[in-house]
Structures are given as structure tokens and as C-alpha cells.
Amino acid sequence: MKYTTIALAALAIFATAAHAAPAMMSVEWTAQACDAWNKDATLTDGLGEKWIKNDKGRGYKIIHLYRTDCGEATQTELKIAAKDGKAMCVYGGAVQNHQMDYAVDYTMHATTDRWNEMGAGEYGPMKAMMFGRLKFTGPKMEAMGVMGPFEAFLRLPGKIPGDKACPAK
């Protein structure tokens, strides 16, 4: 009887750990963000016009993102490509494109608390940028022209469960 109780307790702990949310902005979390992107018409349709076409003929744009308090080494990547007039996420995970072209690509970072605030819809991209809550490198004027979709992007941390632990480097 004792062994059964111990075995059941160990199994419960293992099952809980197996279903825990990945660290926010980890490789696994970013793969889920890619899927969520593709299910959000504000992102796929709203960025399917001009935004996705500014790619210098490469056929894609890159977004690197990370939590400032976890360090730049924890960056992950979203690769967005034009497909059937939409801006579709074709990859989410570990950084594959180390060389960024900031005429078309973006790197964004904020503290964990700020990502959570933006994800909860407490404020949008204008306030985030004006008050320095979101740091980013990339075509700022282009970003200003797509504030609605940009806000939908900033809501992803509120839609995808993520653990507060920093992602593994």
C-alpha cells in the first residue's frame, strides 16, 4: 500500500511537470506564438498588405524577441512570409537568422513584467514605445503604420501560457 501511494504521488508530480507551460519566449513558447499568429486575422490580414512586402526581395521578415531580464542570449525568432496575400508565420523557435537587416527586420525586448502588461492589454504599442517599456530595433516608421496589428502581436504573451522562469540559454 505504501509503495502504491508513493508511486501515485511521484506520477502526479511527473504529470504536473510534463504539462507545465514552457518559459515565456522560450523556443517552445515561440513555436506556439507562431501558431497563434496564424490564427489571428488582425496579424495575418492586417500585415498582409504593405508590411510583409517590405522584405528586400527575400520573401520573409524576421522578428527576434526576448525578455530583457533574461538576457539577449535567450532571443527566439519568428519568420513571417507572404502566403496567399497574408502575412503567415512559417517558423517559430531558436534563432536561425543571426544577421538581421533592420531596414525590414525587428528585434523586440521588454522586461517580463512589461510583456505581461502588454499581453494583458493594459496598454498598446504607442505607450509601450513612448515610455520605453518596449525596446525595439527595426523600421520604426513602418511599425507606426501598422499599430493595430502591432498591438495584436503584443497581446500574444497574454494568449500563450508561459512560465516566469527564464528560458534556457
Side-chain angles (χ1 to χ4, degrees):
M1 180 79 166
K2 273 186 185 178
Y3 294 113
T4 304
T5 304
I6 292 170
L8 287 173
L11 185 59
I13 290 169
F14 177 74
T16 301
H19 294 305
M24 181 174 41
M25 300 203 181
S26 64
V27 169
E28 297 82 10
W29 186 95
T30 304
Q32 292 177 27
C34 185
D35 291 337
W37 175 297
N38 290 337
K39 293 174 184 167
D40 189 323
T42 302
L43 291 169
T44 59
D45 297 339
L47 297 173
E49 282 295 313
K50 291 184 204 173
W51 184 83
I52 194 60
K53 292 176 184 170
N54 177 30
D55 66 4
K56 287 201 168 179
R58 299 180 307 183
Y60 62 88
K61 290 173 86 73
I62 299 296
I63 301 171
H64 285 180
L65 52 147
Y66 65 99
R67 293 162 40 201
T68 308
D69 42 317
C70 294
E72 193 173 347
T74 63
Q75 286 185 66
T76 57
E77 177 176 296
L78 293 171
K79 184 175 186 178
I80 314 300
K83 287 194 171 196
D84 301 320
K86 296 180 183 285
M88 301 299 292
C89 184
V90 295
Y91 172 78
V95 172
Q96 293 181 333
N97 294 277
H98 297 278
Q99 190 73 349
M100 301 288 278
D101 182 340
Y102 289 117
V104 298
D105 298 328
Y106 295 83
T107 295
M108 297 182 212
H109 63 98
T111 64
T112 301
D113 289 342
R114 297 298 189 198
W115 279 116
N116 285 330
E117 291 167 0
M118 291 181 285
E122 291 181 24
Y123 50 86
M126 250 339 201
K127 183 175 181 178
M129 291 186 305
M130 285 179 59
F131 291 103
R133 295 175 181 183
L134 173 70
K135 310 278 191 221
F136 85 95
T137 307
K140 288 180 174 54
M141 293 306 291
E142 177 180 76
M144 298 286 281
V146 289
M147 281 296 164
F150 191 19
E151 184 164 356
F153 171 76
L154 295 179
R155 294 272 179 107
L156 290 178
K159 293 181 178 181
I160 303 159
D163 190 89
K164 286 189 174 191
C166 284
K169 295 180 184 181

